[in-house]
Amino acid sequence: MKPVDEVVRDRIAPVLRRAGFQRRRRHFWFDSASGDRAYVEVRPFKLGFREAEFFVDLGVQPRIWADWLGRDGGETRDVLWADRLMVPGRRPPMADHWSLDLVDEPAGDLLATELSARLPEILGLLDPASLLGYARTLPRPGRKISVRPEIALAVMLATQGPSDELEQCLGALATDPDWVAFDTEFVAFVRGWIAQHPADEQD
């Protein structure tokens, strides 16, 4: 077993298992009752300093975003909200790079503690209203939404059902000259998705 996989087994998996995540190798996910999903994924990145070196990617994927990505049978793993687990005290540009030896108990404990501390935030964003509130703050430096602010806002407004605000948002997208092809398809998708998912079914 590779050192990074030992860290996953001994330090990361127990934390996520207690929180209700499922696992496939280095990939973990948690599904809400409404079908929204939180992700945690360990990605090896070896620099040769320690036995196990890796990033811990965090993500949230609302059901509507997965439906949009998979509309033509394509890949559905991309998330709407993305971040990384940071190493306390580590400075950029490698502040998100975890590097530890298997016998380093304090480092392993720190990893588990930091991951556990982030879970309330990640799982809290599975509430569409919370992620909508987050999306409303865009654009702001350092915000972690992975797409254009207008798209993120439309996605999360759609989870709340029809509204004047959503109509204004979709109208602006439909007439955006810089993204005509994409926005036209996206607007049509959102309207169709709302028709198929009444707001009382999304709660």
Side-chain angles (χ1 to χ4, degrees):
M1 180 179 289
K2 294 181 179 179
V4 67
D5 291 317
E6 292 192 52
V7 172
V8 171
R9 180 194 64 193
D10 298 336
R11 301 295 184 174
I12 293 175
V15 172
L16 296 177
R17 185 167 53 246
R18 287 193 295 270
F21 279 74
Q22 301 180 67
R23 176 188 178 187
R24 183 178 298 116
R25 301 190 64 191
R26 299 167 183 162
H27 182 74
F28 299 81
W29 69 95
F30 178 96
D31 290 327
S32 72
S34 59
D36 301 320
R37 176 169 285 187
Y39 285 111
V40 176
E41 186 165 12
V42 177
R43 295 202 304 109
F45 191 84
K46 191 72 173 172
L47 295 177
F49 298 127
R50 299 288 186 271
E51 291 177 302
E53 297 178 311
F54 51 90
F55 300 114
V56 181
D57 289 335
L58 314 172
V60 173
Q61 183 191 70
R63 177 179 61 170
I64 182 176
W65 192 243
D67 291 346
W68 162 251
L69 295 173
R71 66 196 181 281
D72 297 322
E75 174 61 52
T76 62
R77 286 276 300 277
D78 288 346
V79 296
L80 188 66
W81 177 94
D83 197 10
R84 275 187 173 161
L85 187 68
M86 297 297 177
V87 184
R90 183 77 55 81
R91 293 187 174 185
M94 300 303 288
D96 53 359
H97 184 247
W98 290 85
S99 177
L100 60 143
D101 293 321
L102 298 179
V103 297
D104 190 340
E105 291 291 330
D109 290 343
L110 179 64
L111 170 62
T113 298
E114 291 300 309
L115 179 58
S116 181
R118 291 298 302 275
L119 290 183
E121 175 192 6
I122 300 166
L123 296 177
L125 290 174
L126 291 177
D127 175 2
S130 294
L131 193 51
L132 172 59
Y134 190 97
R136 287 187 194 279
T137 69
L138 301 172
R140 258 181 68 185
R143 304 306 275 180
K144 302 172 181 67
I145 296 294
S146 61
V147 296
R148 291 163 50 205
E150 303 91 335
I151 296 295
L153 185 58
V155 165
M156 298 317 302
L157 284 170
T159 66
Q160 308 299 296
S163 68
D164 291 342
E165 184 181 8
L166 176 60
E167 283 304 311
Q168 293 174 3
C169 187
L170 293 179
L173 286 170
T175 57
D176 185 343
D178 295 326
W179 301 85
V180 174
F182 176 89
D183 288 341
T184 299
E185 182 181 4
F186 177 76
V187 168
F189 166 82
V190 169
R191 295 192 189 284
W193 193 91
I194 291 177
Q196 296 174 17
H197 301 83
D200 60 354
E201 294 181 3
Q202 298 169 31
D203 297 331

